[in-house]
Amino acid sequence: MNNPTPTLGPGDLQPGHSPDAPRGFVARLRNYFLTGLIVAGPIAITFYLTWWFVTWVDGIVRPFVPVAYRPETYLPFGLPGSGLVVAVFALTFLGFLTANLIGRSLVELGEAILGRMPVVRAIYRGLKQVFETLFSSTGSSFRRVGLVEFPSPGMWSIVLISQPPNLEVATRLPGKEEFISVFLPCAPNPTTGFFFYVPKSKIIEVEMNAEEAATLIMSAGVVQPNGDAQKKVNALAEMANAARVATASQIPPTPAKVD
């Protein structure tokens, strides 16, 4: 007896139909979207932050620029960045004036006036020291990166190494070991964190600059320093291994010696 040919139901596979076709098409669309997001996301955020900074500086500087010297007075549209240009020239000119005797005298006079204000004095001196430390061409603060065992034994955190403590603090720290101040940035916002003194022997310095450390912290470890170089090294190692395997496969086997 001949077996009857089975009939295909609506949910069964039809000839020439692949169950992975719709899933593969959707997966490709998703990959294309994620690829576009990876490419456009950093560019869009960078342009947004740049635009925010430029407009913020324009909003501060523009009220001090006379109307006759504003670009929008002569143009039918506003010119973003004009305030930033004025600010750069003004700061450069201020630095030029400060470099001579008259400028230094005016700065000393202003500092003397601020030094007589109880609350403003502390704020000004602290901010001045921070700016002198960060923007000094010879300073070493926050230019070295290290590892500190924090928050518990066996867990290591990235820190920016700063300066040794002053005499008052150093004499009150326990032990005779030399201490140094460090700043531990928090992820993903490295502008906040913890400041503390740690023994110098407890810090492991790493070959990494402050910019690479900030990138590592902001990305929560996703973007590793020298990632491209590591990828190239791995690729070269794989190529060498593949060439070694190919060479070994082309060598004919040595015939066994018969006595």
Side-chain angles (χ1 to χ4, degrees):
M1 180 181 296
N2 295 331
N3 294 329
T5 303
T7 58
L8 296 176
D12 298 330
L13 296 178
Q14 301 295 330
H17 177 73
S18 175
D20 295 333
R23 182 179 301 175
F25 177 73
V26 174
R28 283 197 298 270
L29 289 180
R30 181 186 61 189
N31 292 336
Y32 293 154
F33 172 77
L34 293 177
T35 303
L37 183 63
I38 293 173
V39 173
I43 297 176
I45 295 175
T46 302
F47 273 103
Y48 172 77
L49 294 178
T50 305
W51 178 264
W52 171 83
F53 177 75
V54 170
T55 53
W56 176 69
V57 175
D58 285 348
I60 296 176
V61 177
R62 185 167 295 160
F64 299 97
V65 179
V67 179
Y69 296 99
R70 297 180 185 178
E72 57 267 20
T73 306
Y74 309 97
L75 298 176
F77 52 87
L79 189 62
S82 58
L84 181 61
V85 174
V86 173
V88 170
F89 277 100
L91 293 175
T92 305
F93 183 68
L94 178 62
F96 169 74
L97 293 179
T98 308
N100 56 50
L101 180 60
I102 299 177
R104 286 198 300 269
S105 301
L106 293 176
V107 171
E108 291 176 358
L109 177 61
E111 290 182 346
I113 295 174
L114 292 175
R116 297 179 180 275
M117 302 179 182
V119 179
V120 178
R121 174 179 57 194
I123 298 175
Y124 171 74
R125 288 179 179 176
L127 291 177
K128 182 183 178 182
Q129 291 179 359
V130 170
F131 273 78
E132 287 179 349
T133 302
L134 292 178
F135 295 100
S136 174
S137 58
T138 59
S140 59
S141 294
F142 295 155
R143 286 179 171 82
R144 293 182 297 160
V145 182
L147 294 172
V148 172
E149 201 169 13
F150 181 86
S152 62
M155 301 177 65
W156 296 84
S157 299
I158 295 287
V159 295
L160 302 178
I161 302 174
S162 186
Q163 299 288 340
N166 57 21
L167 183 60
E168 174 66 22
V169 176
T171 54
R172 297 189 179 271
L173 290 173
K176 298 182 180 180
E177 193 171 357
E178 184 180 359
F179 282 76
I180 194 167
S181 59
V182 297
F183 175 70
L184 193 155
C186 291
N189 183 11
T191 59
T192 62
F194 302 94
F195 170 80
F196 51 88
Y197 295 102
V198 63
K200 216 170 184 180
S201 60
K202 302 295 184 180
I203 301 177
I204 302 177
E205 290 197 37
V206 294
E207 294 295 332
M208 186 188 305
N209 55 40
E211 182 179 353
E212 292 174 343
T215 303
L216 177 64
I217 293 169
M218 286 188 292
S219 65
V222 175
V223 180
Q224 296 288 335
N226 300 325
D228 295 338
Q230 187 65 34
K231 290 179 181 178
K232 292 179 181 179
V233 172
N234 293 338
L236 292 175
E238 292 179 359
M239 291 175 59
N241 187 34
R244 180 181 60 81
V245 173
T247 303
S249 62
Q250 293 176 359
I251 298 176
T254 303
K257 184 179 180 180
V258 179
D259 296 333

